[in-house]
Amino acid sequence: MTIPNTHCVELSNTITTIRDKSNPLYSKTYCACTTIQLPYNTTINHQNVSVIAGPCSIESEDQIMATAHFVKKAGATILRGGAFKPRTSPYAFQGLGIEGLKLLKKAGDYYAMPVVTEILDSEDIAMVSQYADILQVGARNCQNFSLLKKLGKIQKPILLKRGMMVTIKEYLMAAEYILAEGNTNVILCERGIRTFETETRNTLDISAVCVLKQKTHLPVMVDPSHASGNWKLIHPLSLAAIAAGADGLMIECHINPEVALCDGEQSLRPDKFELLMHDVKELCTMLNKAVL
Ligand code: PEP
Ligand code: MN
């Protein structure tokens, strides 16, 4: 289903008329704030905090159903799950492919949650779009300009993750590639960058959240799972992200992280996710925001 971004009409009009390099489409000159409309009356917007949760990868029907059940119960509104995984080693689990997409959609339909999954190859855009409500561009493809241009030609929301070696300016220009082709439904996601630090998988760039919020009308989310690589850091980093002004979180969760086929060490089990959601809701109440 394609839902036009009616909250950003100024931007849609601008794309077809003016093209000005000194006034990029991501800037607030064109639009105060973009709202992403999703199925099941779900939105990602600047007034509230949206929580995307789910496993790193879809492993089986039981796993995705059980995970969807507990994340929904705790208050997440969008379900994630990878079917095509960008793994460092070609011998590591690569995802269930189209079978995984079908299971993800089944879980999303059953629990009335929009679903997000990664698109690795531009040849798969039409196929993945049949199952997913948001297409994720992973950190490794953040500057895959030919993929970004093709995603600009559809109207599905795109969750563009920050590349691990990409500056804030370069990141915004990556988003611009999608906007310039006409797709105004772009969501940003800070997921940590590579630094000299080795205690964490990446370094969560909290200041990027504040800078992005100042420079663009696009929603800004934070993924503390990939930023830290450590489930023990997800709780404090999530609260820090919300305090810094993030519009949402993307959290890896698993019914049994010890046996996860991918990223179990950075996935929350049900009780920890529930605790996190409790504190997220408390913080949001203080900030006069709702958790969507
Ligand atoms: C993911 O979210 O599944 C993922 C692979 O993240 P990233 O692209 O940020 O590494
Ligand atoms: Mn992962």
Side-chain angles (χ1 to χ4, degrees), residues 1-3 37-40 58 78-84 97-98 100-106 108-109 113-119 124-137 151 154-159:
M1 181 171 25
T2 298
I3 304 168
Q37 299 283 351
L38 296 165
Y40 303 114
I58 304 140
I78 304 169
L79 181 65
R80 65 152 283 149
F84 297 93
I98 186 159
L101 293 177
K102 288 179 182 166
L103 296 176
L104 180 66
K105 178 153 174 53
K106 187 170 177 184
D109 286 346
M113 298 170 93
V115 298
V116 51
T117 198
E118 181 161 349
I119 179 91
D124 295 337
I125 293 174
M127 188 265 289
V128 176
S129 297
Q130 284 175 37
Y131 300 98
D133 303 299
I134 305 175
L135 303 188
Q136 174 175 322
V137 177
L151 292 170
I154 62 172
Q155 286 303 310
K156 278 266 175 193
I158 309 296
L159 179 82

Side-chain angles (χ1 to χ4, degrees), residues 26-28 46 172 188 212-218 220:
Y26 65 71
S27 72
K28 290 191 174 178
H46 291 249
L172 286 168
L188 302 177
L212 289 168
K213 290 292 294 174
Q214 285 173 8
K215 287 192 182 291
T216 181
H217 52 82
L218 301 172
V220 179

Side-chain angles (χ1 to χ4, degrees), residues 56 80 85 201 226 252 262-263 266:
C56 179
R80 65 152 283 149
K85 295 304 302 175
R201 183 175 177 182
H226 290 90
E252 286 192 335
C262 185
D263 285 351
Q266 61 185 43

Side-chain angles (χ1 to χ4, degrees), residues 181-201:
E181 296 294 331
N183 187 349
T184 58
N185 294 298
V186 178
I187 307 148
L188 302 177
C189 183
E190 159 62 36
R191 47 76 74 207
I193 50 173
R194 283 237 164 120
T195 67
F196 51 79
E197 185 53 70
T198 54
E199 285 292 319
T200 49
R201 183 175 177 182

Side-chain angles (χ1 to χ4, degrees), residues 30-237:
Y30 293 122
C31 176
C33 56
T34 286
T35 293
I36 307 292
Q37 299 283 351
L38 296 165
Y40 303 114
N41 260 335
T42 309
T43 66
I44 297 174
N45 64 47
H46 291 249
Q47 287 83 45
N48 300 299
V49 169
S50 302
V51 180
I52 303 176
C56 179
S57 45
I58 304 140
E59 298 169 4
S60 67
E61 180 162 350
D62 286 352
Q63 175 247 17
I64 190 67
M65 282 296 188
T67 308
H69 175 76
F70 86 74
V71 300
K72 168 95 180 188
K73 193 159 150 254
T77 53
I78 304 169
L79 181 65
R80 65 152 283 149
F84 297 93
K85 295 304 302 175
R87 303 304 300 278
T88 301
S89 163
Y91 308 118
F93 176 59
Q94 302 286 307
L96 294 182
I98 186 159
E99 287 315 310
L101 293 177
K102 288 179 182 166
L103 296 176
L104 180 66
K105 178 153 174 53
K106 187 170 177 184
D109 286 346
Y110 191 82
Y111 288 102
M113 298 170 93
V115 298
V116 51
T117 198
E118 181 161 349
I119 179 91
L120 268 185
D121 189 324
S122 58
E123 284 188 4
D124 295 337
I125 293 174
M127 188 265 289
V128 176
S129 297
Q130 284 175 37
Y131 300 98
D133 303 299
I134 305 175
L135 303 188
Q136 174 175 322
V137 177
R140 292 153 191 82
N141 269 320
C142 179
Q143 289 185 303
N144 180 341
F145 300 123
S146 99
L147 177 63
L148 299 179
K149 280 188 191 173
K150 286 178 183 135
L151 292 170
K153 294 196 194 314
I154 62 172
Q155 286 303 310
K156 278 266 175 193
I158 309 296
L159 179 82
L160 176 64
K161 297 190 87 176
R162 182 179 180 186
M164 52 193 101
M165 308 288 277
V166 167
T167 65
I168 295 172
K169 180 77 188 163
E170 288 164 346
Y171 186 27
L172 286 168
M173 290 314 281
E176 187 78 6
Y177 265 89
I178 305 172
L179 299 172
E181 296 294 331
N183 187 349
T184 58
N185 294 298
V186 178
I187 307 148
L188 302 177
C189 183
E190 159 62 36
R191 47 76 74 207
I193 50 173
R194 283 237 164 120
T195 67
F196 51 79
E197 185 53 70
T198 54
E199 285 292 319
T200 49
R201 183 175 177 182
N202 292 285
T203 298
L204 178 60
D205 187 1
I206 275 287
S207 49
V209 177
C210 313
V211 175
L212 289 168
K213 290 292 294 174
Q214 285 173 8
K215 287 192 182 291
T216 181
H217 52 82
L218 301 172
V220 179
M221 303 193 74
V222 168
D223 169 355
S225 293
H226 290 90
S228 65
N230 179 352
W231 68 267
K232 290 182 182 161
L233 297 175
I234 293 177
H235 195 120
L237 293 181

